[in-house]
Amino acid sequence: MSADQEAQTDELLALESIYDEEEFHRTESRQRGKINLCPELPPNFRLIVKGEACVEFGISFLPPLVLSFELPTDYPSSSAPVFTLSSKWLSRVQITALCKRLDELWEENRGNVVLFTWIQFLKEETLEFLSIQSPLEVQTIGGQPHCESGQNQAEDTALEKSKVQELDPRAVQEVDHHTDILTLLLDFNEAQKQKEFDSKVFSCGICFSENLGSNSLLFKECQHVYCKACVKEYFQIQMRDGKVQSLTCPEPECMSLASPAQVKLLVGKDEFARYDRLLLQSSLNRMADIVYCPRMSCCMAVRIEPDANMGICPSCRFVFCTLCKRAYHALSLCKELQMEKDQQEKQRVQRVKDDAALSEDWVRDNSKSCPSCRIDIQVSNY
């Protein structure tokens, strides 16, 4: 085995021992591979979305830079690794600047293995090299979010540092201009946070057992953690009682709600279908502009206009009066409503008459007229 082959083998074995399979993948048949490198972010790093309104998001992870490489037979003695560098959120100008910096690092270390040096630079120094600082701006253009901030902050710096006027063919931008970059960044951040959570150990606040995060449930609003077995049983008890609006954190006095996705993760398919149905029903019942189709075979929720008494079922197309729940009777007064009003008025008049009669009887039995002014006065029994 030549000195170059031995150096390459030792370098690749060392990288395999340092990084897991998701970060470092090696092609066994040839001396090439792929490295996924997430730039290290400072604490409290934020995204800011500028459009009609300005919104901020805190993030802990950005999508990785992907370094694909192949080692020539005369590496590291003479030739540098052949590589491409790709990203889903950096511009090609920025990736070009990084490619040129990797070339410079090779020149500084010519004759020595350089992959680990490249990895350290991309993980630890990318943001500083490109002058990217918090908050990272995501601008909305034509209603679609685009990651313009890094480009705005660092494009001039990148051009100056790379000292090139053309884009490097090794610089690859993995997404097109129509990609919703904000969703991409937030989804990746959530996935990485979940991965980090799954690998940690937590104590359940109900049974006090120790569990991996992958076997636990985190209520995001309050950050309380319980094992999935305890939360599942707690949810099932609440759902059996129809309390679908009360699937909150089990911590006393805590009102953090479980998301439907968390409920679906724990309970069975039939239980979740019932929960989903009851939750929808409960929500619709609280809406003043929602009534239900009166046909027993339908019962679809129907939205009505303010101050209107006509409903049109979107499912069976039945047109009905929202007051009496019968077929719509145009502009005529709802007979049932009028009958109800008439009956209520009769009952009110009768109550007044009955009260008056009782008063007269009581006065007659329990009072006498004053000899002087003739006013009725109560007679004492003593």
Side-chain angles (χ1 to χ4, degrees):
M1 180 182 294
S2 68
D4 280 339
Q5 289 178 325
E6 185 175 353
Q8 291 178 23
T9 300
D10 290 345
E11 181 180 32
L12 294 177
L13 288 173
L15 293 177
E16 284 180 319
S17 67
I18 296 172
Y19 302 102
D20 60 33
E21 293 182 357
E22 290 188 11
E23 293 179 296
F24 178 82
H25 176 73
R26 174 186 175 186
T27 303
E28 293 292 342
S29 59
R30 302 181 65 179
Q31 300 291 70
R32 63 182 180 182
K34 182 180 292 186
I35 310 171
N36 297 305
L37 305 163
C38 290
E40 294 182 357
L41 301 184
N44 302 316
F45 193 88
R46 305 189 69 78
L47 292 178
I48 183 169
V49 182
K50 288 190 174 180
E52 294 182 1
C54 186
V55 184
E56 284 196 14
F57 301 90
I59 63 170
S60 302
F61 302 93
L62 284 171
L65 304 172
V66 180
L67 178 66
S68 301
F69 67 88
E70 183 173 354
L71 305 180
T73 55
D74 58 349
Y75 165 80
S77 62
S78 301
S79 299
V82 178
F83 72 89
T84 60
L85 185 63
S86 61
S87 172
K88 293 182 178 180
W89 57 280
L90 291 175
S91 69
R92 285 198 66 196
V93 172
Q94 292 170 299
I95 305 172
T96 291
L98 295 175
C99 289
K100 296 307 175 183
R101 179 55 186 157
L102 297 185
D103 290 339
E104 292 173 1
L105 290 172
W106 161 250
E107 292 299 331
E108 295 171 7
N109 295 273
R110 180 180 288 274
N112 299 308
V113 292
V114 77
L115 288 180
F116 186 71
T117 302
W118 283 0
I119 291 171
Q120 281 188 306
F121 164 72
L122 293 173
K123 282 181 66 73
E124 300 173 8
E125 301 179 39
T126 290
L127 298 187
E128 181 180 358
F129 180 76
L130 296 176
S131 301
I132 296 176
Q133 298 177 347
S134 178
L136 179 64
E137 295 180 11
V138 178
Q139 294 188 349
T140 302
I141 302 176
Q144 188 78 354
H146 293 267
C147 191
E148 299 288 345
S149 61
Q151 186 168 333
N152 289 342
Q153 292 176 1
E155 211 165 78
D156 293 338
T157 304
L159 283 170
E160 181 180 348
K161 289 184 176 181
S162 62
K163 297 180 181 179
V164 295
Q165 298 300 322
E166 296 181 357
L167 298 174
D168 194 312
R170 299 171 297 179
V172 180
Q173 191 175 37
E174 292 187 357
V175 294
D176 58 35
H177 295 293
H178 299 292
T179 299
D180 185 342
I181 191 69
L182 176 62
T183 300
L184 184 151
L185 296 179
L186 294 179
D187 286 351
F188 180 82
N189 181 64
E190 285 300 314
Q192 290 300 109
K193 287 174 67 176
Q194 185 63 48
K195 179 182 175 182
E196 185 178 66
F197 175 82
D198 289 346
S199 64
K200 294 182 178 179
V201 176
F202 299 90
S203 175
C204 175
I206 297 176
C207 66
F208 303 107
S209 62
E210 298 286 329
N211 299 275
L212 283 173
S214 56
N215 295 320
S216 304
L217 190 74
L218 169 69
F219 287 84
K220 293 184 178 180
E221 290 182 37
C222 60
Q223 297 295 299
H224 293 143
V225 179
Y226 301 89
C227 73
K228 289 181 178 178
C230 288
V231 180
K232 177 180 179 179
E233 185 175 356
Y234 169 70
F235 282 174
Q236 288 173 330
I237 292 172
Q238 297 292 88
M239 291 164 61
R240 279 198 295 269
D241 295 338
K243 298 178 181 178
V244 294
Q245 295 287 350
S246 302
L247 298 186
T248 57
C249 171
E251 185 78 13
E253 307 301 327
C254 184
M255 300 304 295
S256 297
L257 285 171
S259 69
Q262 289 177 315
V263 178
K264 187 176 184 179
L265 179 68
L266 296 182
V267 303
K269 183 177 179 180
D270 292 340
E271 288 176 312
F272 181 77
R274 180 173 181 271
Y275 158 81
D276 198 36
R277 184 176 66 256
L278 291 175
L279 185 63
L280 176 61
Q281 182 78 38
S282 176
S283 299
L284 293 176
N285 287 343
R286 295 197 303 271
M287 299 173 66
D289 60 345
I290 294 294
V291 297
Y292 295 94
C293 176
R295 296 184 65 192
M296 296 302 296
S297 61
C298 182
C299 298
M300 173 67 70
V302 180
R303 186 177 183 276
I304 59 173
E305 297 297 326
D307 302 322
N309 67 334
M310 181 182 74
I312 304 176
C313 178
S315 178
C316 67
R317 309 308 299 173
F318 180 55
V319 182
F320 60 95
C321 172
T322 61
L323 301 176
C324 64
K325 303 300 187 292
R326 297 175 181 173
Y328 185 64
H329 36 73
L331 298 178
S332 63
L333 183 63
C334 177
K335 294 181 180 179
E336 185 170 318
L337 180 62
Q338 186 60 47
M339 289 173 61
E340 182 179 350
K341 287 183 177 180
D342 292 344
Q343 184 64 26
Q344 290 176 349
E345 181 62 20
K346 288 180 181 179
Q347 291 174 351
R348 187 188 69 81
V349 171
Q350 187 61 44
R351 283 197 299 271
V352 170
K353 290 180 179 179
D354 291 344
D355 290 344
L358 288 172
S359 296
E360 290 176 1
D361 291 342
W362 188 91
V363 169
R364 184 174 58 252
D365 296 337
N366 296 277
S367 67
K368 289 185 177 181
S369 298
C370 174
S372 300
C373 65
R374 314 306 297 174
I375 295 296
D376 292 326
I377 57 175
Q378 185 175 352
V379 177
S380 174
N381 294 323
Y382 300 99

